[in-house]
Amino acid sequence: MNFNLMKRLCFIAAILPSFLSAQSQTDPLNVDVSQSVAEVQPTMYGIFFEDINFAADGGLYAELVKNRSFEFTLNPSMGWQQPNTNRHSLNKNSGMLNIMKYKEQNTNHNFARVTVKNADGYQLINEGYRGMGIKKDNQYNLYVNMAKQSGDIQKVIFQLIDESDNVIGETSIMPKGDGWKHYKSQMVASETVENAKLKITFAGTGVIDLDMVSMFPEDTWKGREKGLRKDLVQLLDDLNPGFLRFPGGCIVEGRTLERRYQWKKTVGEIENREVLVNRWNTEFMHKFTPDYYQSFGIGFYEYFQLSEDLGAEPLPILSCGIACQYNTGELVPLDELDPYVQDALDLIEFANGDSSTNWGKLRAKMGHPEPFNMKYIGIGNEQWGEVYIERYAIIEKAIKEKYPEIIVVSGSGPSPDGEHFEYGWEELKKLDVAIVDEHYYRSPEWFRSNAARYDDYDRNGPKVFAGEYAAHPKGVGDGPAENNWEGALAEAAFMTGLERNAGVVHLTSYAPLMAHADAYQWAPDMIWFNNLESYGTPNYYVQKLFATNPGTHVLKVTQNDVPLTGQDNLYLSAVKDAHSKELIFKAVNTGNTSQTITINVEGGKLNRKGTVLTLQDNGLETFNTFEAPEKISPVSSEIKIKRNQVKVELPSQSLSVIKLKI
Ligand code: AHR
């Protein structure tokens, strides 16, 4: 039996009991399709990307070698093993590894010096990011800079090895002459291995220097050399995102100002992008990840390029001169804010300036002469208090003076309520800002009871960016189990409120986006992956159902003159799509019995047949896994319409997207 058929049968079996039991019938709902109440912005459903949980290095960025340039500050040889060397028997050693500094001061500080004493006896092994995911018959491209110093190392052999040291791929390079030279070679893997390693053996004896030891699969997103992991970008592309927010999150702020994200250090030649310790390296002592650094292989150019690939508006967020207020809260004095202002102005030039401008020239040189047409820029992440408002105001003013067309995104701090939130909103309103970012990581109960959160927001005030949100179920264990159906269903209920209020809520994004199952710091997350595979959580499918059916105009649907925001455990929003001429309802039943709703449609004639996409599970604790990645995923069915009346069965604990042609 094929998987889809099996899934369909399981779905019918799951919802059958609720059909057989008495189904409750609710009061009818009414909608007039000729009367829209607001437009849905094309940016309504976007994605939030941050290098947390090994989402960039070790994840989206397909580099397989960890610490390729020997720059990890805690230990510059971290990730590199010398299997036949031991520090107590140096004389018997076959060789040694030393970390050296370049004479010239530059952003690539270190290189490795390898001394080989016994021919064929010395090896180096790179362990990858929790191993390397290698696929049978796939090609792997190896890159390395080498400089022979003395003696005669004739050949350097690169081998992929599995967990038992069996060779599953091999290539070799003959280093030539003096001075640094760049080499490239390839190998094809004979096996699929989740935790492979890269072994380097030296033929001959002597001294040789190595730097930027790098390996990528040939098969990357869009086939780009040294590109992004294809399966992960595909999952993002399938979301039809309206925007891509990058590079985070707290990573923007840094624990200290010195360690904040500085976009200028992430563009240009990859080997000159200065490696920086990742902010999530030491953030949680119970999730201590000493090997978490940022190579910036994905830097701002790559983020803009990814936005373009996904058809998403780029939304970069920059530091406002305050380090993370949960950590040091270090502040730049107001009269020293200039470099931060300049960073914002230069970024706009990098993204949008023509190739005769300073920064536009660099973008063109990197391969994109056309502007990226950036429209939004965010200043500050989760900042709060007067210190934020003062700095935000200065940077916003400078941007508006030079680039009045750019929409500046401000923030209201880490909580969706309370003193800081209230103060932030009040002050930002006084500044007449365009958009305010709100963050909420709350219980499923909070999401269910906040579906009407935006119903009373001022339509004439700043717009809302629900920039980071996720329901956090309690007591369900750690990791993927936190992405259970209870949380996802609660988010779906809440999202009907976002959609109903699209007149004020212009951008929304779940957070965080991705997590490596063997290297995460934070859960829940929308997508889980390991070195070989990836899957969307139930939360992912909720996002996907909303984002691939966004509509263009919000419609008013009421039951007894009020919207459905949790009465009888039901939530509902409606949009029409002016392009596809569709009427789309998103209906959520969080209760444990099935319910039938009836919607009377006026103002347009409905086709006789419609489609319903349903996400459902009777177990609130159910979650997707690598073994059953689509356990909770949408199932499609048909409905028949009589006399412009939509009668739909909403199974217990379900999200239904009802699509009708007008
Ligand atoms: O999404 C994870 C973190 O949550 C983000 O970095 C931060 O902005 C928020 O506190």
Side-chain angles (χ1 to χ4, degrees):
M1 193 181 316
N2 80 25
F3 180 73
N4 274 339
L5 179 61
M6 209 163 81
K7 204 174 149 226
R8 217 169 263 273
L9 290 177
C10 290
F11 174 71
I12 293 168
I15 63 171
L16 204 57
S18 49
F19 273 100
L20 296 178
S21 67
Q23 296 158 17
S24 50
Q25 188 88 26
T26 61
D27 288 347
L29 292 131
N30 298 300
V31 61
D32 183 344
V33 290
S34 64
Q35 304 289 316
S36 63
V37 290
E39 279 183 25
V40 181
Q41 299 301 313
T43 50
M44 183 67 185
Y45 304 105
I47 50 184
F48 160 94
F49 186 88
E50 175 164 16
D51 191 5
I52 182 173
N53 304 318
F54 282 56
D57 286 301
L60 195 63
Y61 187 45
E63 171 66 271
L64 293 161
V65 178
K66 182 169 75 183
N67 193 14
R68 61 187 174 191
S69 54
F70 309 95
E71 302 287 324
F72 285 12
T73 40
L74 183 66
N75 171 7
S77 56
M78 194 181 267
W80 292 93
Q81 301 153 5
Q82 303 172 76
N84 42 17
T85 304
N86 119 33
R87 68 163 72 202
H88 303 297
S89 57
L90 273 181
N91 291 339
K92 283 187 251 143
N93 273 351
S94 49
M96 67 174 136
L97 171 72
N98 294 101
I99 302 300
M100 312 288 291
K101 292 237 173 280
Y102 285 99
K103 270 199 201 116
E104 318 78 50
Q105 285 292 317
N106 57 24
T107 46
N108 175 13
H109 306 279
N110 303 337
F111 61 91
R113 173 153 295 173
V114 174
T115 305
V116 184
K117 294 182 184 162
N118 298 326
D120 293 339
Y122 181 75
Q123 289 169 341
L124 271 179
I125 291 184
N126 187 276
E127 64 191 24
Y129 294 93
R130 308 297 193 268
M132 298 175 179
I134 298 296
K135 291 187 184 158
K136 187 173 184 229
D137 296 332
N138 279 23
Q139 180 180 312
Y140 292 87
N141 298 329
L142 195 116
Y143 309 83
V144 58
N145 295 342
M146 293 194 282
K148 277 170 98 167
Q149 291 300 334
S150 61
D152 192 16
I153 291 177
Q154 298 122 20
K155 189 158 83 169
V156 184
I157 303 148
F158 296 88
Q159 291 171 321
L160 285 169
I161 53 171
D162 69 9
E163 291 94 341
S164 318
D165 259 7
N166 300 309
V167 175
I168 56 161
E170 177 169 330
T171 186
S172 52
I173 294 173
M174 318 288 174
K176 292 180 223 110
D178 300 330
W180 285 105
K181 294 201 168 44
H182 181 65
Y183 301 88
K184 179 180 173 187
S185 190
Q186 305 79 34
M187 55 189 137
V188 173
S190 57
E191 294 298 334
T192 294
V193 175
E194 188 182 333
N195 289 307
K197 292 178 183 163
L198 177 69
K199 187 198 264 186
I200 311 178
T201 308
F202 302 83
T205 56
V207 179
I208 188 164
D209 295 339
L210 307 180
D211 201 1
M212 288 300 284
V213 187
S214 172
M215 187 171 63
F216 283 83
E218 166 76 6
D219 190 22
T220 57
W221 170 252
K222 288 193 180 283
R224 288 198 187 108
E225 191 175 14
K226 303 185 185 179
L228 306 184
R229 211 175 117 169
K230 204 170 159 181
D231 59 327
L232 291 176
V233 186
Q234 190 60 57
L235 280 165
L236 303 186
D237 199 33
D238 292 346
L239 283 172
N240 185 35
F243 66 88
L244 173 66
R245 168 181 167 155
F246 55 86
C250 289
I251 214 164
V252 171
E253 308 162 19
R255 297 182 73 80
T256 59
L257 282 171
E258 201 197 338
R259 291 184 181 176
R260 72 190 186 278
Y261 195 103
Q262 298 185 56
W263 75 266
K264 288 175 180 166
K265 296 187 172 183
T266 74
V267 293
E269 290 295 330
I270 286 206
E271 59 186 271
N272 296 333
R273 300 182 189 177
E274 191 171 22
V275 173
L276 179 68
V277 65
N278 189 299
R279 183 225 184 291
W280 297 103
N281 181 312
T282 48
E283 182 64 15
F284 300 123
M285 288 328 268
H286 66 292
K287 292 277 182 198
F288 193 56
T289 40
D291 58 340
Y292 202 2
Y293 283 75
Q294 298 175 85
S295 72
F296 297 115
I298 303 183
F300 261 40
Y301 177 85
E302 289 75 18
Y303 282 126
F304 279 115
Q305 192 177 45
L306 178 60
S307 309
E308 188 171 78
D309 290 351
L310 300 175
E313 294 294 344
L315 170 41
I317 308 285
L318 300 187
S319 163
C320 63
I322 309 177
C324 179
Q325 285 163 281
Y326 286 120
N327 301 146
T328 63
E330 213 183 319
L331 282 182
V332 176
L334 290 180
D335 58 0
E336 291 172 28
L337 204 57
D338 262 10
Y340 293 76
V341 172
Q342 203 53 48
D343 269 0
L345 298 179
D346 290 343
L347 179 62
I348 300 169
E349 188 176 289
F350 178 74
N352 296 350
D354 67 45
S355 35
S356 66
T357 62
N358 251 348
W359 288 100
K361 199 187 299 160
L362 176 61
R363 184 198 65 237
K365 193 170 160 216
M366 290 182 75
H368 204 286
E370 294 306 316
F372 282 117
N373 287 321
M374 175 178 107
K375 300 189 184 84
Y376 299 87
I377 191 167
I379 301 300
N381 174 46
E382 281 183 349
Q383 266 66 56
W384 64 79
E386 204 181 339
V387 288
Y388 173 58
I389 302 297
E390 291 167 340
R391 283 161 183 76
Y392 172 83
I394 293 173
I395 304 177
E396 191 213 59
K397 184 163 176 277
I399 295 172
K400 284 284 167 205
E401 268 167 23
K402 192 157 182 200
Y403 299 105
E405 72 284 6
I406 294 288
I407 301 170
V408 187
V409 178
S410 59
S412 57
S415 307
D417 45 37
E419 197 187 322
H420 295 318
F421 176 84
E422 301 297 340
Y423 172 81
W425 257 100
E426 208 178 294
E427 294 302 313
L428 292 168
K429 270 188 185 164
K430 286 186 205 156
L431 289 176
D432 195 22
V433 302
I435 300 186
V436 181
D437 184 11
E438 297 190 351
H439 293 180
Y440 20 92
Y441 297 102
R442 288 287 188 270
S443 68
E445 165 54 21
W446 184 93
F447 279 85
R448 288 191 296 268
S449 52
N450 271 276
R453 176 179 174 86
Y454 294 110
D455 289 4
D456 299 326
Y457 265 52
D458 180 1
R459 265 47 190 170
N460 301 314
K463 303 304 176 214
V464 172
F465 172 22
E468 289 186 34
Y469 70 88
H472 283 210
K474 289 277 166 298
V476 292
D478 182 26
E482 292 177 76
N483 282 103
N484 69 17
W485 184 226
E486 185 192 8
L489 187 62
E491 287 154 12
F494 178 76
M495 287 175 79
T496 62
L498 295 178
E499 183 169 271
R500 189 177 50 257
N501 288 289
V504 67
V505 181
H506 279 194
L507 307 96
T508 66
S509 45
Y510 180 97
L513 184 63
M514 289 185 195
H516 191 305
D518 303 323
Y520 63 92
Q521 295 79 48
W522 180 297
D525 303 285
M526 206 208 293
I527 292 167
W528 285 88
F529 63 92
N530 59 26
N531 290 340
L532 290 174
E533 296 172 310
S534 49
Y535 67 84
T537 58
N539 317 68
Y540 171 89
Y541 287 108
V542 166
Q543 292 293 322
K544 186 172 170 183
L545 280 178
F546 275 80
T548 52
N549 298 287
T552 53
H553 295 82
V554 184
L555 300 172
K556 185 172 168 191
V557 197
T558 52
Q559 184 187 57
N560 304 321
D561 285 333
V562 291
L564 265 187
T565 58
Q567 304 91 310
D568 303 318
N569 300 316
L570 295 179
Y571 303 79
L572 187 132
S573 59
V575 288
K576 70 175 172 185
D577 191 308
H579 310 299
S580 63
K581 307 260 180 305
E582 276 177 321
L583 167 60
I584 306 167
F585 298 101
K586 277 112 187 171
V588 175
N589 176 6
T590 57
N592 54 15
T593 52
S594 118
Q595 303 198 53
T596 299
I597 54 165
T598 305
I599 311 170
N600 297 314
V601 179
E602 283 173 29
K605 177 125 183 55
L606 296 181
N607 260 11
R608 291 274 177 83
K609 271 189 200 159
T611 309
V612 184
L613 301 164
T614 312
L615 264 186
Q616 196 274 346
D617 203 278
N618 281 332
L620 289 177
E621 67 296 336
T622 308
F623 58 99
N624 292 345
T625 58
F626 288 107
E627 294 71 34
E630 295 184 354
K631 190 164 173 43
I632 298 186
S633 58
V635 172
S636 170
S637 58
E638 262 192 9
I639 49 163
K640 294 210 170 79
I641 311 297
K642 280 190 203 149
R643 294 183 296 276
N644 253 28
Q645 195 176 65
V646 187
K647 219 178 182 111
V648 196
E649 185 64 35
L650 303 180
S652 58
Q653 297 173 178
S654 65
L655 159 64
S656 305
V657 177
I658 304 150
K659 300 177 70 170
L660 310 165
K661 282 269 177 204
I662 318 169

